[in-house]
Amino acid sequence: LFFVSALVLWGSDAVFAQSLKEDKVKKATEVKNLVDGGRYTFEASKKVMGNGDSRYLRHGGDMDVSKDTLIVYLPEEGKAPGTPVKAINAGITCTGFGYQMNDAVNGGWHIALTPKGDHSPEIKEITLLISPEGYATLDVMRPDKKSLIFYGYIKQHIAQFPPVSAAIVK
């Protein structure tokens, strides 16, 4: 009876491990398709503070990316100076930006987004490091201010982007 129980437990562990491996491969394929397709959302779950501490975001924040439109709704971004801390962000929508994607050492991606035109005074550059499983680090570099760093993940885009032919490049 002990021998049979041990075989059943060993077999269920093997099936569970195989299931986890298949889920990881499925997620990696999904993330690769999103990133290669150029339309995805970075969902922020944690913000890194200036002193190195971090805190989970109660209301989150996100950044929708397509190859012709960038929509940023992140804490502290898109607010006019003097706006109360609890105020909802106005957000930033940008249709003119540089998009450079390189493969990262871990099998993921290193993406640099450089806004041009009207939004270049607000955001100098956005760097997004994405793991093969979709975990990501977002670094928003701002002129004359400290960078904003967020941890989160990549998912299917949630914004309604205009058709590519209707996008206005500034």
Side-chain angles (χ1 to χ4, degrees):
L1 185 61
F2 175 75
F3 181 69
V4 171
S5 297
L7 282 176
V8 169
L9 287 174
W10 177 75
S12 65
D13 283 346
V15 169
F16 182 71
Q18 181 65 29
S19 176
L20 285 177
K21 186 175 181 181
E22 289 171 1
D23 287 348
K24 188 174 179 178
V25 168
K26 182 180 175 183
K27 182 64 178 173
T29 302
E30 178 185 324
V31 170
K32 180 176 178 14
N33 290 338
L34 289 172
V35 174
D36 287 348
R39 286 192 173 199
Y40 51 89
T41 294
F42 167 81
E43 183 76 28
S45 57
K46 188 187 275 190
K47 179 182 176 187
V48 178
M49 313 302 257
N51 62 1
D53 291 342
S54 62
R55 67 176 169 90
Y56 286 97
L57 302 174
R58 291 189 313 161
H59 302 293
D62 57 55
M63 180 179 77
D64 291 299
V65 179
S66 87
K67 291 191 177 181
D68 57 4
T69 306
L70 178 65
I71 303 171
V72 181
Y73 282 100
L74 295 169
E76 296 183 39
E77 231 17 86
K79 288 184 182 180
T83 303
V85 173
K86 293 184 180 182
I88 296 173
N89 293 359
I92 296 171
T93 299
C94 181
T95 55
F97 60 93
Y99 185 97
Q100 183 179 1
M101 180 172 71
N102 296 307
D103 292 335
V105 177
N106 67 352
W109 302 268
H110 178 271
I111 298 171
L113 303 154
T114 311
K116 298 175 183 170
D118 294 344
H119 299 294
S120 57
E122 297 173 60
I123 300 174
K124 183 177 177 184
E125 183 177 61
I126 297 172
T127 302
L128 188 57
L129 300 173
I130 305 172
S131 77
E133 295 81 26
Y135 298 105
T137 301
L138 179 75
D139 185 355
V140 180
M141 291 165 265
R142 307 175 303 170
D144 304 326
K145 295 181 185 177
K146 290 183 179 181
S147 291
L148 296 175
I149 298 173
F150 299 92
Y151 296 135
Y153 55 93
I154 299 300
K155 65 179 191 176
Q156 181 73 30
H157 70 89
I158 57 175
Q160 295 299 323
F161 295 111
V164 174
S165 60
I168 301 170
V169 178
K170 294 181 181 179

